[in-house]
Each structure stands twice: as C-alpha cells, then as structure tokens.
Amino acid sequence: MDVKHYYNPNGQEILDEGIFGGSPTGFVDFNRSKYKWDSNIYDLMNANTWFPSEVNTSTEKRNFEKLSDNEQAIYKLTFAQLSFNDSAQEEYLCDFRRLANNRLVKSVLSLQIMQEVNHSKSYSVLLDACGNSEEVFNLYKHDDALNRKNQQISEQFARHIEGGSVDKMLLSAMASVNLEGIYFLLGFSYIYLLGDKVPGARDMIKFIARDELNTHLPLFSNIFKTIRKENKILTSTIDSAYSMIEDAVKIELEYGNYLLKQYPIMGVTPQLMERTVHNYANDRLKKIGLDPIFKTTDTTYLQKLVTKHLNMNEVKSNFFESNVSNYAKSSIDLDDF
Ligand SMILES: [Fe+2]
Ligand SMILES: [Fe+2]
C-alpha cells in the first residue's frame, strides 16, 4: 500500500470526501463533517459507553438454575446465536471499513468495532457467571439449526465484502442493516420474555440492544442512503438489496420457529414471530429509503417488549453509572435525510 493511503496532501478537501471512492488527505476532523449524522452518532455512541462489569451478574447462576428445562434451553441457544452475531460483526466491520473513503465515517466504524468487542466480552462475563460459558460457545457443534443460521449470516457478510464497485459496497452495507436490524431481534425478545427471572441477562441485553438499535442501525441506514445519494446505483442492485432482506427474514424465522417448536414459550406463536419480523423488516426498509414489502400489522407484543427496554430511565440506577443513565437519545439528530 502506498504512502498516500496515510497522507496525501494533494487529496480531496475534507468536505468533499464521499463514502465510496476518492482519495482523502488523511485527517480526521470532527469540526468539518460532510454529513451531520456521522459525528452525531459518534457522540451518541460515546455517551452510551458501558462496561459488562456494570451489570450485576452475581445471582445469574442461581437464577438460571431455577428456570425450567425449556427456558434454560432457550437461554443457552439464544446467547449461543447472539454471541456469534457480535463476533462476526466485529470481523465484518474491519473488512467493510476498508471499502470506505470518508475518514470521519471510518472513525465512527472504529468506535462501532470497539462496541462489538464489548458485546462479545459481555457474553463471556454473563455466561461465566452463569457457569455454562464453554457449553454455550460450543453449542454450534451440536445444534444444526444454530450452525445453519450462523453459516447463512456469514455467507451474507462474505458475498460482497471484497468490494471493487459501489454496488458491491452498497450490498455489503445491506448485510449489516440485516444484522443490526433483523438477526438480533427475536433473541432480544426471548431474553426479555424471561425478564425478571434472569435480571443479569436482561440488563446485559438492554445495553447491547441500545447500541445495536439506537446507533449501529442508524449508522448503517445512513451509510446505505448516502452511498445511494452520492452514486448511480444499478436497479438490479436495489433488487438484490430487497432479496437480501427477504433472505434475512427467512433466516430469522427459521431459527425462531426451530426454537419455538423444540422449546415452546408461553404466549409465543409462529404467527406472532412472523408478524414481528415482518414489521421489523418493513421498518428497516423505510429507514434505508426503500419501500416496505412485507405485510404490515399492528405493533406486536414482542416489538413492544424490545421498545420498552430501549428506555434508559427504566434501568435501575444503582446498577449503572450516571453517565449512562443520563443518556439522552432524543436530543440528537441522527438522520440528515
Ligand atoms: Fe453488537
Ligand atoms: Fe452492532
């Protein structure tokens, strides 16, 4: 790689750096942002900084042992899958970051990478407290459905990550919209359904969900929309983006239905899961400037559970540092469009 990659005095003006293509001078200047959303999302990510040690996991083992066999299986298979999502996302982001040109957007991706590592660390802390870390991290060896979901997510990540064209970069960003906006969601709601029975897991998931849904999803929605706005994108590429979210819905429902069939959870039906995932997918399509293509229904109970836990004020203040509790999402504009 030549020296210009690091410093190019003849490179683009900072305010001209697009997301795809170009040659940046090499400075990261938070005072001159081509987009408003990038520095706003960076600030929000920082304001939301948390550490796994802030969650009280001291009673997790005792609480886990009181769960029914079905609930224990759901707990383990949910964390086995969610922990894979974060491990994969960290690696994917390092690769995706290489495709990006705008240095400030790259800086926000760097912070996101750190947060995904923090999520991986939090699963290890939680499962260590629960006493089943190795068992859960090894479940992919014994569970075909889990292995299949992980495999399908990896394939979606890998398909366009080599870049080389703006269309490929756009579809790579779509893989991340799916990860942040679809593949976590049933898992989050399962842990919220267990709720007060496992407060350590619930509170850890609250923090992770806030990162994914309040900052990572807006980051990739903005990246997707900006790439489209700045470049001419083939119609067939947009068709592929729709196919990718259709695949994501299938992948999420396939694992959800498998879990439900093996380990029924009170009140959850295949129809409820389908309505939930379809509503989420429509919302994600709207967020990236595309049209909803799934049947829309009223907000489901599972969606309401996830939304309820995004409200920081509900977190018991003695568990968390005040900087986290004071986190004020509504005051920051995350979308320039
Ligand atoms: Fe994450
Ligand atoms: Fe994320």
Side-chain angles (χ1 to χ4, degrees):
M1 203 168 267
D2 80 48
V3 67
K4 282 185 182 169
H5 177 67
Y6 300 105
Y7 178 51
N8 179 11
N10 301 315
Q12 289 169 297
E13 283 296 315
I14 283 183
L15 291 174
D16 293 335
E17 291 173 10
I19 291 188
F20 174 81
S23 176
T25 309
F27 293 95
V28 177
D29 182 352
F30 278 89
N31 294 321
R32 281 184 293 165
S33 162
K34 185 173 194 298
Y35 318 109
K36 279 281 170 289
W37 51 263
D38 48 7
S39 56
N40 285 346
I41 290 174
Y42 184 90
D43 288 342
L44 184 54
M45 281 175 164
N46 260 338
N48 197 25
T49 299
W50 62 281
F51 297 99
S53 56
E54 292 168 60
V55 176
N56 184 350
T57 54
S58 60
T59 56
E60 195 66 6
K61 191 167 178 5
R62 210 177 337 137
N63 296 332
F64 177 82
E65 282 164 0
K66 284 191 217 148
L67 296 177
S68 69
D69 289 349
N70 267 10
E71 289 170 334
Q72 289 192 357
I74 292 279
Y75 181 108
K76 289 191 281 186
L77 282 161
T78 297
F79 279 111
Q81 209 290 306
L82 295 183
S83 60
F84 172 76
N85 287 351
D86 284 284
S87 300
Q89 179 71 343
E90 177 203 344
E91 194 67 7
Y92 154 88
L93 286 169
C94 294
D95 294 334
F96 182 82
R97 192 184 177 284
R98 265 189 264 244
L99 305 180
N101 174 64
N102 180 290
R103 289 299 310 269
L104 204 42
V105 171
K106 292 179 86 155
S107 297
V108 186
L109 289 167
S110 298
L111 184 51
Q112 187 187 351
I113 291 167
M114 183 282 269
Q115 294 196 334
E116 304 300 2
V117 181
N118 199 42
H119 297 171
S120 292
K121 171 76 177 172
S122 73
Y123 297 123
S124 300
V125 167
L126 181 77
L127 296 171
D128 187 48
C130 199
N132 54 16
S133 179
E134 202 173 322
E135 181 196 350
V136 172
F137 276 103
N138 276 328
L139 274 177
Y140 74 95
K141 294 178 184 169
H142 315 288
D143 192 288
D144 289 344
L146 169 65
N147 184 40
R148 188 171 148 75
K149 183 176 177 188
N150 293 349
Q151 194 74 42
Q152 288 170 314
I153 291 172
S154 314
E155 282 164 13
Q156 212 173 59
F157 268 164
R159 205 166 300 149
H160 305 285
I161 200 67
E162 79 280 13
S165 74
V166 69
D167 294 85
K168 284 188 172 191
M169 188 181 182
L170 188 79
L171 293 176
S172 289
M174 188 67 205
S176 193
V177 170
N178 284 341
L179 185 107
E180 301 290 352
I182 306 280
Y183 297 134
F184 279 107
L185 272 300
L186 288 180
F188 288 163
S189 53
Y190 292 151
I191 298 304
Y192 292 147
L193 282 170
L194 299 178
D196 291 341
K197 292 178 187 173
V198 279
R202 179 201 59 203
D203 290 339
M204 200 76 90
I205 288 298
K206 278 185 186 178
F207 273 146
I208 293 172
R210 283 185 195 112
D211 288 344
E212 313 297 12
L213 300 174
N214 288 348
T215 53
H216 301 180
L217 182 59
L219 172 60
F220 269 88
S221 302
N222 279 302
I223 287 175
F224 187 98
K225 284 188 292 187
T226 305
I227 293 175
R228 254 189 108 192
K229 196 173 157 192
E230 292 179 338
N231 300 277
K232 190 158 169 40
I233 301 295
L234 298 171
T235 311
S236 59
T237 300
I238 299 302
D239 292 343
S240 298
Y242 279 113
S243 303
M244 283 175 73
I245 201 165
E246 282 177 317
D247 288 345
V249 164
K250 272 190 219 137
I251 292 165
E252 184 67 359
L253 284 176
E254 192 183 334
Y255 192 62
N257 279 314
Y258 162 79
L259 281 188
L260 191 64
K261 209 167 153 198
Q262 303 268 311
Y263 312 104
I265 317 167
M266 228 173 25
V268 182
T269 62
Q271 294 74 25
L272 173 64
M273 286 197 310
E274 185 172 288
R275 292 206 325 267
T276 302
V277 176
H278 283 181
N279 284 346
Y280 277 131
N282 280 338
D283 175 75
R284 299 347 178 197
L285 284 166
K286 281 189 238 163
K287 281 189 164 70
I288 61 172
L290 299 183
D291 298 322
I293 54 171
F294 301 93
K295 191 172 169 217
T296 304
T297 52
D298 291 342
T299 307
T300 68
Y301 172 58
L302 296 182
Q303 286 176 275
K304 284 179 188 161
L305 259 184
V306 170
T307 305
K308 177 185 146 195
H309 289 97
L310 286 174
N311 180 1
M312 204 65 194
N313 296 330
E314 284 185 10
V315 178
K316 290 190 176 62
S317 57
N318 60 329
F319 279 3
F320 305 108
E321 300 288 342
S322 59
N323 67 322
V324 180
S325 301
N326 291 340
Y327 163 80
K329 168 179 183 282
S330 55
S331 63
I332 302 177
D333 180 11
L334 298 183
D335 202 330
D336 286 348
F337 296 86

